């Protein structure tokens, strides 16, 4: 058991801001981050704590979903395999009884309603490599199967592509004893070859409402780098984004149908941001793999890294600050408390308790008897500020943040004067001073940027005005329609152009028709348009002769003598002429 050393060198930081609600060291809960949630599963207004228990290493206890009300376990549900994540959400706006629980297991997502099985969503299969599909298809067509040839071809393909691009059937076939391969190949060679996907992360993002309870879209990450967003009502794929690496954790902010973002971290330290209808935006790569990612109250992003660093980003992916955290980081969770206006983040460490940060400033420390492996902050029961923690030894701890908790006295900075005295500066004043200093030092750059933006805006407006004026003048006061048809079998064709004046007045007399051709001789190329009465189609005939045995193309342009831009353009394709057949 790790001892706490945070109170040895930090004065004034303790558990006075928190109330001890529950400490059960014998709960025997073994879980990982993203496997805790607080949800009103019955719609009675009393939120329960839901834990995904991975079971023991010896396999005596299988994976279970445990539901706690207060400090007592009320139900438990067995799972077919180890869950990779769990999240609760609502399928309808303003309907508390529409709450459901989504548990990701293997290649499926199990949906529970009222803690009863409700729906099962299976990930779409992955297309196997064409060479592998061809080898198994050929084996299924052979009347007498040659197992040695099949094994040699699959072994060469495995060496060429690698195990990550081969289906489980091929890998199992190659790993079997040679005496067992014939029966296995005979059993599966005519079965369609598929490659199952696997879930790596599960999360939820609000769909279209800020009012609680609000419907949320399920966010799924797969081993093959896919991010799927499911509709909360029918559980079908709304949007799909493709990454170059498998996601391991999400942090969602905003409304998905509006300006919402899904922040993704990978195993190798990559970070990306996903928005609906836009391409994936990749942020800078972290020096070490990330532990967790959280959204702060001020729309900032906090990422904890395995090398013991806490990094802060803006919502656009710009790195703002970083701070060193003592001890190994196990998990982190955002503590949204809008009433106090701080961006609090709780970071679980091995040996130093749970450290609470306001941005990059350390403001509090929670003393826990054992290191905490998973945390969840939210509403539990009737309390809005509850943090549930599961320790590495299987214990369950619940603490409540006091309504009178004040973090302001630790969130101020000091300014050292020349005489050695210290003057306390409030946080907002310090930010204002820093912004003023930046504006003074970079006044020329800021002014140049503003002027460039203003000139670009004026240029865009001027272009739009010119385009609008030209579009309004091209058609003129008398709008016309033009249709073109091709007559004949070739190589001599007639192009019949039909002009119709759809206005109530006579047309202008300064219009003409120009023909542009490719691989075609057109006569005449230019024709004057006669006076067009209202509503009466007037035909004009153009003769076209193909120059070769390939199809031709003729563009018919209706122009006005006072304008360089055509009024309307019609394209005609002349088919290739058939060869004469002698009888």
């Amino acid at each position: 058991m790790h001892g706490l050393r945070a109170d040895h060198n930090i004065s004034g930081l303790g558990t006075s801001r928190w109330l001890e609600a529950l400490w059960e060291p014998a709960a025997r809960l073994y879980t990982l981050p993203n496997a805790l949630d607080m949800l009103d599963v019955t719609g009675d207004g009393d939120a329960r704590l839901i834990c995904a228990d991975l079971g023991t290493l010896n396999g005596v206890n299988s994976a279970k979903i445990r539901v706690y009300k207060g400090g007592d376990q009320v139900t438990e549900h067995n799972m077919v395999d180890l869950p990779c994540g769990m999240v609760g959400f609502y399928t309808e706006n303003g309907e508390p009884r529409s709450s459901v629980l989504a548990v990701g297991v293997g290649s499926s997502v199990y949906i529970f309603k009222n803690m009863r099985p409700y729906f099962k969503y299976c990930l779409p299969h992955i297309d196997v490599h064409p060479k592998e599909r061809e080898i198994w298809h050929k084996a299924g067509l052979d009347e007498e199967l040659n197992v040695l040839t099949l094994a040699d071809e699959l072994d060469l393909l495995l060496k060429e592509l690698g195990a990550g691009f081969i289906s489980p059937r091929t890998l199992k076939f190659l790993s079997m004893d040679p005496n067992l391969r014939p029966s296995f190949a005979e059993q599966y060679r005519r079965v369609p070859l598929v490659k199952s996907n696997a879930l790596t992360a599960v999360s939820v993002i609000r769909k279209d409402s800020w009012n609680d309870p609000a419907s949320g879209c399920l966010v799924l990450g797969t081993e093959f780098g896919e991010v799927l967003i499911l509709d909360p009502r029918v559980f079908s794929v709304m949007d799909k984004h493709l990454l170059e690496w498998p996601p391991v954790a999400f942090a969602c902010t905003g409304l998905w149908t509006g300006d919402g973002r899904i922040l993704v971290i990978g195993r190798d330290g990559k970070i990306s941001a996903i928005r609906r209808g836009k391409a994936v935006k990749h942020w800078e790569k972290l020096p070490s793999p990330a532990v967790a990612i959280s959204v702060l109250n001020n729309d900032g992003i906090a990422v904890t890294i395995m090398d013991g660093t806490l990094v802060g980003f803006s919502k656009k992916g710009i790195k703002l600050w970083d701070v060193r955290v003592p001890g190994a980081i196990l998990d982190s969770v955002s503590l949204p408390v809008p009433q106090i206006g701080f961006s609090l983040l709780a970071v679980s460490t091995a040996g130093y308790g749970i450290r609470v940060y306001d941005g990059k400033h350390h403001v509090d420390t929670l003393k826990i008897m054992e290191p905490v492996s998973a945390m969840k902050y939210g509403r539990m029961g009737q309390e809005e500020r509850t943090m549930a923690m599961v320790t590495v030894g299987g214990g369950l701890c619940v603490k409540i943040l006091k309504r009178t908790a004040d973090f302001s006295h630790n969130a101020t900075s000091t300014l050292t004067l020349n005489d050695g005295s210290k003057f306390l500066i409030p946080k907002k004043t310090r930010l204002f001073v820093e912004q003023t200093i930046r504006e003074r030092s970079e006044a020329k750059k800021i002014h140049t940027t503003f002027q460039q933006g203003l000139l670009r805006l004026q240029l865009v407006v001027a272009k739009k005005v010119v385009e609008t004026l030209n579009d309004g003048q091209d058609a003129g006061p008398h709008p016309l329609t033009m249709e073109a048809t091709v007559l004949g079998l070739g190589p001599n064709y007639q192009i019949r152009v039909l002009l119709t004046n759809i206005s109530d007045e006579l047309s202008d007399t300064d219009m003409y028709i120009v023909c542009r051709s490719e691989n075609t001789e057109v006569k005449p190329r230019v024709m004057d348009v006669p006076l067009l009465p209202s509503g009466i189609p007037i035909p004009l005939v153009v003769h076209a002769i193909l120059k070769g045995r390939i199809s031709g193309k003729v563009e018919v342009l209706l122009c006005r003598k006072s304008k360089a831009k055509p009024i309307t353009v019609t394209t005609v394709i002349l088919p290739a002429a058939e060869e004469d057949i002698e009888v």
Side-chain angles (χ1 to χ4, degrees), residues 490-507:
N492 297 330
Y493 296 94
Q494 276 190 0
I495 301 176
R496 188 167 180 262
V497 181
L498 202 63
L499 296 176
T500 305
N501 181 10
I502 60 176
S503 65
D504 296 333
E505 302 177 359
L506 295 176
S507 66

Side-chain angles (χ1 to χ4, degrees), residues 25 27 76 79 95-96 101 147 173 195-196 261 296 304 354 366 369 375 410 429 439 454-455 504 516 543 577:
E76 69 176 21
M79 300 300 297
E95 182 55 49
L101 179 71
V147 180
F173 174 77
K195 187 176 182 181
S196 300
R261 288 182 177 86
L296 304 178
T304 49
I354 297 179
L366 281 77
M369 298 302 296
M375 299 184 295
N410 288 322
T429 303
E439 291 178 356
L454 180 60
L455 291 176
D504 296 333
R516 296 177 180 174
H543 297 277

